[in-house]
Amino acid sequence: RKEVEQDPGPFNVPEGATVAFNCTYSNSASQSFFWYRQDCRKEPKLLMSVYSSGNEDGRFTAQLNRASQYISLLIRDSKLSDSATYLCVVRGNFGNEKLTFGTGTRLTIIP
Amino acid sequence: GAGVSQSPSNKVTEKGKDVELRCDPISGHTALYWYRQSLGQGLEFLIYFQGNSAPDKSGLPSDRFSAERTGGSVSTLTIQRTQQEDSAVYLCASSHPGTNSPLHFGNGTRLTVT
């Protein structure tokens, strides 16, 4: 099993719709979690951290489910500018704190 | 403040030559990662430095690849006897110590081996 797994997509979603994707991780002792966004031919950029209680940033909501070992990202009222690849990132347990990236989920918002 | 700086931004080299890619992390960041990304593909982990600990080299694809981090700051990724399949964008990222500290990426070095 991969350490971090994501559905590669592509997800093709009409503008204004809500879209959600999950990411599963294998190490139950993983410490922290992030969502990154990567535009074509650009470096990944931090979208948001994921906190245990769930957190929201505008149209974006991130949640963590430790029992089932997954994190999710929900995008409401999607915009054309949301088209990108979304990368799930997991930090290992204490003593092995390497950050591991998923392969990314490709999202295209359709006008 | 200054972000992660990588140089050169672009490098074209002939097959068989050696190349050195440089990464200058954000000041105070103890963790430093190298990744590479081929066109249309995901990030491929290469190597991870954390403070004074031995680096995690588990992602280096062959013994032609090596990396150093001098004085806990600047890192150099060296590729010897380059091959055409080494062509990719090489990304460096650094992180402040701390559980909730995210990675900050440089703009990458686009390597083309002809």
Side-chain angles (χ1 to χ4, degrees), chain B residues 67-88:
Chain B
E68 289 185 341
R69 188 176 185 194
T70 53
S73 182
V74 171
S75 178
T76 302
L77 177 69
T78 301
I79 309 172
Q80 296 178 308
R81 305 181 302 280
T82 51
Q83 303 294 313
Q84 288 188 326
E85 61 262 28
D86 299 335
S87 297

Side-chain angles (χ1 to χ4, degrees), chain B residues 41-64:
Chain B
Q41 303 298 308
L43 288 173
E44 178 186 2
F45 166 75
L46 296 177
I47 189 168
Y48 162 53
F49 296 91
Q50 174 56 63
N52 295 322
S53 302
D56 178 345
K57 303 180 182 180
S58 60
L60 295 177
S62 78
D63 59 7
R64 296 186 296 105

Side-chain angles (χ1 to χ4, degrees), chain A residues 31-32 34 36 38 41-46 49 51 87 89 91 94 96-103, chain B residues 33 35 37 39 42-43 45 48 50 56 58 91 95-96 98-107 110:
Chain A
Q31 297 183 62
S32 53
F34 308 90
Y36 277 70
Q38 186 174 25
R41 294 181 174 267
K42 297 284 190 181
E43 75 277 13
K45 293 190 176 175
L46 178 68
S49 301
Y51 300 122
L87 300 161
V89 187
R91 172 172 269 119
F94 289 106
N96 181 17
E97 295 163 333
K98 187 174 82 176
L99 285 156
T100 301
F101 280 75
T103 53
Chain B
Y33 296 72
Y35 296 90
Q37 189 169 35
L39 192 62
L43 288 173
F45 166 75
Y48 162 53
Q50 174 56 63
D56 178 345
S58 60
L91 289 160
S95 172
H96 194 274
T99 300
N100 293 318
S101 298
L103 273 181
H104 300 264
F105 281 84
N107 292 332
R110 184 173 300 278

